[in-house]
């Protein structure tokens, strides 16, 4: 089982790695460290949780390159970039690449720890969000074609009467489908059903309710 | 026929001396006749000698009116006439002409004559008349040799007198004793008259011819623009032609009795005396050039041709052609020599102890040495040497001087006040027309100034190297900041961590010790970086020490580490086995290495070199021949055009924006000061290679003393 409190540290300087390990472990984090970015890439083949702290300038491969490759291979650990240079271009590039934080050496431990804490929280949030989305999609998969049509019309705010005339069904039949949609999707309210529809659309990457159909 | 006719005949022949002598001889007054001969010839002594065995040798001391014939037994005691050469001539019946008795071999009687002050002797045989047993001889001696004309005249007179003398000494000589010519036999008187008459004619004609030729000779000489002079054995003028007035401003009378050397320029006096000596020792003509002093004080360049004529010297002297030009040139050269900053010393050609004598110094030399001109003239240049003067150099110079060769060297010399200076000498021989070495010209430079210049140049180079190091540090600053940041970050991280744990009372002793140990390590790393930095940029004395090239390269890469990381370029080092140590100023050599490696790194960064292989710089360390070390810095960057390769070592040439263009110039001068080299070549593939060499430790010593670093 993966630990939610895990921090991956990558820096070519052994001494830096050791000192970060010391304070993180003091705070109860589990630390896994690498002095070669390529070893971290290998590690990224398994599912990972927690966060990543990496130096930006390293021989062979920069921290940002490593981060991008990890993302490409599906590892989305919140990443904190550490730099001794603190150049604006580095910071911009890091944030654009989706890194969550950017710290300069020498850091204050409090700042580093806060960054790590929030990164791990972010990871947890991401993970629960992903869990929820997966649930919605799974439930959506259970709906019949007719139920999906009804759901799309409902979340667009149509009345049952309108829906019945559009689909050429009786008002009564629409009511039955609607009740099935609400129960199958485990939506307590119309508002909740609308939120789920948004999630589904986002996952499908389409605009409007087309995805639902 | 009587004596008056005799006398009158001789008298009408026009020569009072001859007629007087004849008279005396006819009267049988041998003693007076001989004495008169001596007096007439201005001789110091005149003598009539007869065969020693006859016991009737007579001597007449001439010059002294109270002359007396001396018996043969007194002869030996008189000494002067004991000279064997005289007796040999007497026995052989030969004339004896000794214009310079000092030329005689010792055993001939030279010493005898010398002790009596006799310098010339003329003797003619007096043949034994009919009935006489042995020959006689008439001799005249002089304290100083008569001039050529007088000598010839003396010979003529003696030969003439010998005839009547022979008759007078004939067995019938009694006739001459007493009242001659009363008892003279008519036959004898007649014979004598004829003989005397023809002889007298000959003499008179001879004298006339002589006088004529002498007149002609004088006319020629007096009208010649050349100065014609005759000199006695001492070199004194016995005659000088009128040209002496135009040439030297003196009247002939002023010069007779003086010697040419008194007219010569002081510097040429010795040479002139030597030339005269040469004339005496030579059969033919001798030519020489000398400077005379005109009465008005100016110098006159003269050329003389001299020849021995018997005891006297005949000299033809003329002014040397082109004298004015020569004088002008001399003046120009002299003023040039007076102006130059180099000291110029001219000495005579002597090289054996006490060494050559200084005959000329220029003002620069007196200024350099602190001596006044008159204190140096006549001295040997050895005057300038002292305890610190390098004997080895002097020995070498003297050896080439003795061989007559030009020579050069540097010695420590002493000024008049005892202070020293480093003199650079170059000495050249000067030879006369005959190839004889006459003088040495030496040019001396105060090399202390040059040494000082070299020291100044070295200081400039060091200053420049230092400034360049500072600017290098500026360029490396951000990388170095990172370098120091690393340990500082680590330290603060550990310490804050410890604080947090301590506050939480969650700090075990072993953890504390472990972490403090790490903190101390990191502090060490930081101070090591600072030390390296400081030693690199601090201004300090140049110190050479033996060093390993590997260590030098390692230290350099440590300084560059952050920069390399920042630029994402790797440096690979290859070291061959058996690389010798070097004697270098480590900071300066590191500076060169930084310069070369950073150039290579920057070249590797250019957009042309995106390929991974291009982002690697190789440093190859290996031996250079048998006695050196070579380091190649190879990049795979964009390379340099041939035009650039030609110019990169020029000052202020840079291919980089904002580059000062001094890096490679300074690097090269640093290596050259170490006896090494630096050059660049284009790689066959891409990029270029900068190669540097350094002499190995065992061979660096010599370089050290040469460059003075």
């Amino acid at each position: 089982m993966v630990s939610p409190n895990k921090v991956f540290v990558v820096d070519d300087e052994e001494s830096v790695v050791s000192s970060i390990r010391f304070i993180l472990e003091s705070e109860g984090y589990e630390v896994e460290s690498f002095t070669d970015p390529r070893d971290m890439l290998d590690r990224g083949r398994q599912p990972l949780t927690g966060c990543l702290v990496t130096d930006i300038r390293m021989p062979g491969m920069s921290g940002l390159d490593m981060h991008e490759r990890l993302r490409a291979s599906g590892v989305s650990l919140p990443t904190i970039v550490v730099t001794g240079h603190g150049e604006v271009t580095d910071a911009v590039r890091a944030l654009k690449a989706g890194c969550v934080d950017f710290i300069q050496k020498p850091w204050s431990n409090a700042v580093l720890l806060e960054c790590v804490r929030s990164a791990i929280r972010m990871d947890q949030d991401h993970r629960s969000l992903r869990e929820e989305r997966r649930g919605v999609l799974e439930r959506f998969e259970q709906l019949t074609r007719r139920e999906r049509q009804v759901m799309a019309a409902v979340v667009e705010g149509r009345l049952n009467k309108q829906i019945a005339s559009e689909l050429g069904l009786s008002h009564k039949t629409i009511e039955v489908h609607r009740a099935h949609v609400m129960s199958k999707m485990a939506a307590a309210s119309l508002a909740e059903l609308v939120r789920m529809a948004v999630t589904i659309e986002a996952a499908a990457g389409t605009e409007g309710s087309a995805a639902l159909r | 026929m009587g004596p008056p006719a005799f006398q009158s005949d001789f008298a009408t022949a026009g020569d009072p001396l001859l007629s007087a002598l004849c008279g005396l001889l006819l009267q049988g007054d041998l003693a007076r006749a001989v004495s008169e001969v001596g007096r007439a010839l201005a001789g110091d002594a005149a003598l009539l000698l007869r065969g020693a065995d006859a016991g009737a040798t007579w001597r007449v001391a001439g010059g002294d009116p109270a002359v007396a014939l001396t018996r043969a037994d007194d002869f030996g005691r008189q000494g002067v006439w004991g000279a064997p050469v005289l007796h040999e001539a007497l026995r052989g019946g030969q004339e004896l002409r000794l214009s310079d008795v000092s030329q005689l071999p010792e055993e001939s009687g030279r010493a005898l004559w010398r002790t009596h002050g006799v310098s010339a002797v003329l003797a003619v045989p007096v043949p034994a008349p009919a009935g006489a047993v042995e020959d006689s001889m008439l001799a005249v001696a002089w304290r100083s040799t008569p001039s050529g004309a007088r000598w010839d005249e003396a010979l003529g007179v003696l030969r003439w007198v010998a005839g009547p003398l022979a008759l007078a000494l004939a067995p019938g000589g009694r006739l001459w004793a007493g009242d001659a010519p009363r008892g003279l036999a008519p036959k004898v008187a007649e014979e004598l008259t004829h003989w005397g008459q023809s002889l007298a004619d000959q003499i008179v004609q001879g004298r006339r011819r002589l006088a004529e030729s002498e007149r002609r000779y004088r006319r020629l000489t007096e009208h010649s623009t050349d100065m014609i002079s005759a000199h006695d054995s001492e070199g004194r003028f016995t005659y000088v032609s009128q040209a002496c007035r135009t040439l030297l401003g003196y009247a002939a009378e002023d010069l007779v009795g003086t010697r040419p050397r008194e007219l010569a320029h002081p510097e040429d006096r010795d040479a002139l005396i030597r030339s005269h000596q040469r004339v005496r020792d030579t059969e033919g003509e001798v030519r020489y050039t000398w400077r005379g002093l005109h009465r008005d004080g100016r110098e006159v360049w003269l050329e003389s041709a001299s020849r021995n004529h018997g005891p006297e010297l005949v000299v033809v002297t003329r002014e040397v052609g082109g004298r004015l030009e020569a004088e002008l040139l001399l003046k120009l050269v002299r003023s040039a020599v007076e102006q130059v900053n180099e000291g110029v010393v001219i000495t005579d050609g002597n090289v054996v102890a006490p060494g050559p004598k200084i005959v000329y110094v220029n003002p620069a030399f007196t200024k350099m040495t602190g001596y006044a001109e008159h204190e140096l003239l006549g001295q040997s240049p050895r005057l300038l040497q002292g305890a610190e003067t390098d004997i080895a150099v002097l020995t070498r110079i003297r050896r080439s001087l003795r061989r007559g060769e030009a020579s050069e060297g540097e010695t420590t010399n002493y000024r008049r006040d005892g202070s020293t200076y480093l003199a650079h000498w170059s000495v050249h021989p000067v030879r006369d027309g005959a190839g004889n070495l006459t003088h040495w010209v030496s040019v001396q430079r105060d090399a202390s100034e040059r040494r000082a210049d070299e020291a100044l140049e070295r200081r400039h180079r060091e200053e420049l190297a230092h400034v360049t190091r500072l600017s290098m540090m500026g360029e490396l600053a951000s990388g170095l900041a990172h370098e120091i940041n690393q340990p500082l970050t680590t330290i603060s991280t550990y310490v804050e961590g410890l604080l947090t744990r301590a506050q939480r009372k969650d700090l075990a002793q072993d953890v504390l010790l472990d972490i403090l140990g790490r903190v101390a390590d990191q502090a060490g790393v930081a101070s090591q970086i600072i030390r390296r930095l400081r030693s690199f940029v601090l201004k300090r004395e140049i110190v050479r020490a033996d060093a390993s090239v590997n260590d030098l390269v390692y230290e350099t890469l440590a300084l560059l580490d952050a920069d390399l990381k920042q630029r994402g370029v790797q440096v690979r080092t290859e070291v061959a086995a058996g690389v010798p140590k070097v004697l270098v100023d480590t900071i300066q050599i590191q500076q060169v290495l930084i310069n070369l490696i950073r150039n290579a790194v920057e070249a590797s960064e250019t957009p042309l070199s995106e390929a991974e292989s291009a982002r690697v710089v190789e440093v190859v360390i290996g031996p250079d021949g048998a006695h050196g070390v070579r380091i190649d810095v190879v990049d795979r960057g964009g390379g340099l055009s041939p035009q650039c390769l030609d110019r990169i070592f020029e000052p202020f040439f840079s291919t980089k924006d904002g580059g000062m263009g001094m890096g490679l110039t300074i690097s090269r001068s640093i290596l050259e000061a170490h006896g090494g080299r630096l050059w660049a070549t284009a790689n066959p593939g891409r990029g270029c290679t900068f190669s540097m060499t350094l002499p190995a430790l065992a061979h660096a010593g010599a370089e050290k003393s040469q460059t003075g670093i």
Side-chain angles (χ1 to χ4, degrees):
Chain A
M1 192 57 219
V2 288
S3 157
N5 275 346
K6 186 147 193 175
V7 183
F8 296 90
V9 178
V10 184
D11 195 312
D12 60 310
E13 282 293 329
E14 177 59 42
S15 61
V16 175
V17 170
S18 305
S19 67
I20 294 177
R21 178 189 285 277
F22 173 66
I23 51 160
L24 291 179
E25 283 177 350
S26 296
E27 297 297 321
Y29 291 102
E30 192 187 329
V31 176
E32 204 174 332
S33 63
F34 304 92
T35 48
D36 189 331
R38 278 166 298 201
D39 292 342
M40 181 63 209
L41 289 181
D42 285 346
R43 185 68 178 81
R45 299 211 180 111
Q46 299 156 32
L48 305 175
T49 62
C51 73
L52 171 63
V53 177
T54 179
D55 191 12
I56 202 161
R57 303 264 172 184
M58 287 180 289
M61 185 185 295
S62 83
L64 289 180
D65 289 343
M66 180 188 73
H67 168 74
E68 273 159 21
R69 289 210 206 174
L70 282 172
R71 290 272 293 231
S73 65
V75 177
S76 59
L77 286 176
T79 301
I80 301 161
V81 167
V82 172
T83 171
H85 301 279
E87 286 163 18
V88 180
T89 49
D90 281 348
V92 170
R93 204 180 143 212
L95 295 177
K96 273 191 177 167
C99 297
V100 295
D101 253 311
F102 183 86
I103 345 177
Q104 255 178 268
K105 290 180 191 172
W107 54 68
S108 124
N109 285 0
V111 171
L112 179 67
L113 287 172
E114 181 48 44
C115 287
V116 167
R117 201 174 297 126
S118 73
I120 282 183
R121 198 184 313 122
M122 197 182 287
D123 183 51
Q124 284 165 346
D125 291 350
H126 280 173
R127 216 164 336 109
S128 46
L129 213 62
R130 272 198 305 275
E131 292 293 319
E132 193 189 317
R133 193 187 306 133
R134 198 165 56 242
V136 171
L137 290 176
E138 274 170 12
R139 289 195 295 279
F140 184 64
E141 291 296 318
Q142 304 300 316
L143 298 185
T144 63
R145 198 176 64 84
R146 190 58 87 185
E147 283 164 355
R148 289 185 194 182
Q149 285 174 333
V150 172
M151 180 175 164
V154 169
V155 296
E156 277 168 12
R158 312 257 173 93
L159 300 173
N160 286 351
K161 231 190 290 180
Q162 291 171 306
I163 300 169
S165 82
E166 264 177 37
L167 297 178
L169 295 174
S170 71
H171 185 255
K172 187 70 181 171
T173 307
I174 296 302
E175 276 185 352
V176 171
H177 282 311
R178 186 173 179 153
H180 280 161
V181 167
M182 294 300 276
S183 70
K184 274 187 177 173
M185 289 306 287
S189 64
L190 179 61
E192 205 171 331
L193 188 69
V194 170
R195 208 164 55 235
M196 286 178 188
V198 170
T199 304
I200 292 162
E201 280 164 13
T206 55
E207 276 187 31
S209 56
L212 300 176
R213 303 218 172 129
Chain B
M1 287 283 257
F6 248 110
Q7 285 184 343
S8 123
D9 279 350
F10 281 109
T12 52
D15 195 299
L17 168 66
L18 293 186
S19 74
L21 280 175
C22 252
L24 286 169
L25 287 171
L26 288 173
Q27 285 161 24
D29 195 347
L30 280 179
R32 260 194 78 194
V34 171
S35 158
E36 208 56 39
V37 167
R39 189 161 35 217
L41 300 181
D44 290 303
L47 174 75
L48 180 63
L49 295 165
R50 291 189 70 184
D53 50 333
T57 299
W58 304 96
R59 176 185 180 274
V60 179
D64 179 358
V67 288
L69 284 168
T70 313
R71 299 286 311 176
D73 42 2
D74 294 328
F75 182 81
R77 258 181 270 141
Q78 288 304 315
V80 179
W81 306 109
V85 66
L86 203 55
H87 291 272
E88 251 167 55
L90 175 59
R91 273 194 292 277
Q94 290 160 339
E95 275 186 9
L96 185 66
R97 283 174 271 174
L98 296 170
S99 62
D100 185 357
V101 299
S102 68
Q103 302 286 332
L104 283 176
E106 185 58 59
E107 64 273 14
S108 317
R110 189 179 73 192
L112 253 176
W113 278 329
R114 200 164 52 215
T115 47
H116 288 86
V118 173
S119 64
V121 172
L122 200 53
V124 295
V126 179
V133 185
E134 55 188 359
D135 292 335
S136 303
M137 186 164 248
L138 178 60
V140 181
W142 290 270
R143 282 185 198 281
S144 64
T145 311
S147 73
R150 299 286 296 172
W151 182 262
D152 291 344
E153 189 187 354
L155 192 58
V157 168
L158 288 182
R159 279 176 185 159
W160 186 88
V161 175
L165 251 182
L167 290 174
L169 290 171
R174 282 292 319 154
L175 292 175
W176 277 287
D179 309 324
R182 272 175 302 186
L184 194 68
K187 193 180 165 207
V188 174
E190 190 182 342
E191 194 184 328
L192 192 57
T193 307
H194 278 295
W195 176 83
Q197 190 63 56
S198 70
L199 202 64
D201 286 351
Q202 280 174 29
I203 299 267
V204 169
Q205 272 177 23
R207 288 178 75 107
R208 196 177 293 135
R209 274 202 302 277
L210 185 65
E212 180 60 30
S213 96
E214 197 162 279
R215 261 200 305 283
R216 202 180 303 131
Y217 168 71
R218 278 183 198 272
R219 229 175 13 247
L220 281 171
T221 58
E222 292 306 326
H223 285 91
S224 167
T225 51
D226 292 348
M227 179 174 94
I228 296 158
S229 57
H231 303 263
D232 64 17
S233 58
E234 300 292 309
R236 282 186 288 262
F237 282 102
T238 51
Y239 164 78
V240 57
S241 67
Q242 289 301 319
C244 66
R245 188 175 288 281
T246 17
L247 232 52
L248 292 165
Y250 293 96
E253 309 85 81
D254 297 339
L255 294 185
V256 171
T258 68
R259 291 193 256 210
R261 68 189 66 162
E262 294 161 36
L263 297 167
H265 188 283
E267 288 171 17
D268 291 357
R269 237 163 245 169
D270 290 348
L272 191 65
I273 293 169
R274 277 199 300 276
S275 302
H276 284 162
Q277 197 53 54
R278 212 140 44 102
V279 180
R280 271 185 224 299
D281 302 341
T282 317
E283 283 286 308
E285 190 182 73
V286 175
R287 285 176 180 273
Y288 45 90
T289 307
W290 53 292
R291 279 171 297 167
L293 288 177
H294 194 275
R295 196 173 193 166
D296 65 14
R298 68 185 157 88
E299 281 176 19
V300 185
W301 278 95
L302 300 169
E303 185 191 61
S304 295
S306 297
R307 190 189 278 274
N308 256 327
H309 282 282
E312 67 172 1
L313 208 65
V314 176
V315 184
V316 179
T317 301
R318 66 180 59 153
E319 219 174 329
V320 180
R323 173 182 62 84
L324 285 177
E325 287 87 341
E327 235 173 44
L328 181 66
L329 187 64
L330 193 71
K331 206 178 282 177
L332 288 174
V333 169
R334 199 180 174 103
S335 89
V337 171
E338 310 261 279
Q339 295 305 312
V340 293
N341 284 324
E342 277 85 11
V344 176
V345 185
I346 303 176
T347 66
D348 62 27
N350 190 16
V351 287
V352 293
K357 275 204 279 296
I358 296 175
V359 298
Y360 172 81
V361 291
N362 74 341
F365 188 77
T366 58
K367 196 174 147 203
M368 191 184 296
T369 58
Y371 285 101
E373 186 181 353
H374 71 267
E375 291 172 313
L376 289 167
L377 294 182
Q379 297 290 325
S380 158
R382 292 175 194 188
L383 176 73
L384 303 165
Q385 296 159 11
E388 284 177 43
T389 307
D390 190 338
I391 301 296
V393 178
L394 285 182
T395 312
R396 182 173 60 75
I397 292 179
R398 280 185 199 148
R399 205 174 298 135
S400 25
L401 294 191
R402 268 199 293 277
R403 286 195 301 262
E405 291 167 3
S407 173
E408 216 176 323
E410 268 181 22
T411 53
T412 301
N413 279 3
Y414 288 76
R415 296 193 183 87
R416 190 177 193 275
D417 63 9
S419 60
T420 60
Y421 65 101
L422 187 70
H424 179 99
W425 288 88
S426 90
V427 187
H428 289 266
V430 177
R431 294 169 193 282
D432 63 15
N436 301 314
L437 201 155
T438 61
H439 291 87
W440 293 101
V441 173
S442 61
V443 178
Q444 193 184 121
R445 241 178 316 133
D446 189 341
S448 357
E449 281 177 32
R450 200 198 65 223
R451 288 265 169 104
D453 285 351
E454 282 171 0
L456 192 68
E457 196 188 312
R458 193 167 63 238
R459 207 156 56 242
H460 282 163
R461 186 172 62 233
E462 282 158 18
E463 293 270 346
L464 203 53
H466 179 239
V467 169
T468 317
R469 279 203 298 280
L470 286 180
S471 104
M472 264 182 186
M473 277 302 111
E475 289 167 31
L476 292 177
S478 80
L480 286 164
H482 177 83
E483 190 84 2
I484 294 171
N485 223 351
Q486 204 87 302
L488 286 182
T489 304
T490 312
I491 289 166
S492 72
T493 306
Y494 277 133
V495 170
E496 279 187 46
L498 285 178
L499 273 173
T500 315
R501 279 214 186 186
Q503 280 158 1
R504 285 205 312 244
K505 308 227 184 307
D506 173 25
L507 187 54
Q509 181 75 4
D510 56 337
V511 173
L512 177 65
L513 288 177
D514 175 34
I515 300 303
L516 284 180
R518 296 187 198 186
V519 167
D521 286 350
Q522 290 304 302
V525 169
S527 62
Q528 180 63 34
I529 294 165
I530 305 249
R531 209 171 21 247
R532 208 174 270 142
L533 246 178
R534 270 172 61 86
S535 69
F536 192 70
V537 296
L538 262 186
K539 229 175 142 169
R540 85 292 177 246
E541 286 300 303
I542 301 299
V543 184
R544 283 199 180 184
D546 43 332
S548 132
V549 177
N550 297 353
D551 290 352
L552 279 171
V553 171
Y554 171 80
E555 280 290 311
T556 307
L557 290 177
L559 267 172
L560 285 172
D561 193 44
D563 191 57
L564 293 175
K565 207 184 282 175
Q566 198 170 354
R567 295 170 187 273
V569 176
Q570 272 185 285
V571 174
R572 270 188 221 138
T573 311
E574 256 178 56
V575 186
V579 175
K581 286 193 147 198
V582 290
L583 183 70
V584 296
D585 180 88
T586 52
I587 299 301
Q588 288 195 339
I589 298 304
Q590 272 188 36
Q591 172 171 2
V592 173
L593 285 168
I594 289 183
N595 183 221
L596 299 185
I597 294 172
R598 280 202 82 227
N599 284 348
V601 166
E602 282 175 23
S604 308
E605 263 194 332
T606 56
L608 275 170
S609 55
E610 282 300 320
E612 278 295 311
S613 68
R615 302 181 76 86
V616 174
V617 168
E618 281 175 273
V619 177
V620 184
I621 305 169
D624 175 45
H627 310 299
V629 180
R630 172 168 168 169
I631 304 175
D632 287 338
V633 178
V634 189
D635 72 65
R636 302 282 165 209
L640 287 167
S641 68
Q643 295 95 314
C644 282
L645 271 180
D646 282 347
R647 298 193 57 202
I648 42 174
F649 293 103
E650 289 174 18
F652 308 115
F653 178 82
S654 179
T655 58
K656 294 182 233 166
D657 291 341
M660 189 162 67
M662 286 307 289
L664 287 172
T665 311
I666 290 164
S667 291
R668 182 176 261 185
S669 76
I670 287 174
L671 286 173
E672 283 171 356
H674 279 81
R677 290 185 304 133
L678 173 63
W679 70 97
T681 43
N683 292 337
R686 52 187 305 173
C688 49
T689 299
F690 281 80
S691 308
M692 58 179 268
T693 62
L694 283 168
L697 182 58
H699 298 269
E703 297 292 339
K704 185 188 176 192
S705 65
Q706 269 175 28
T707 55
I709 289 183

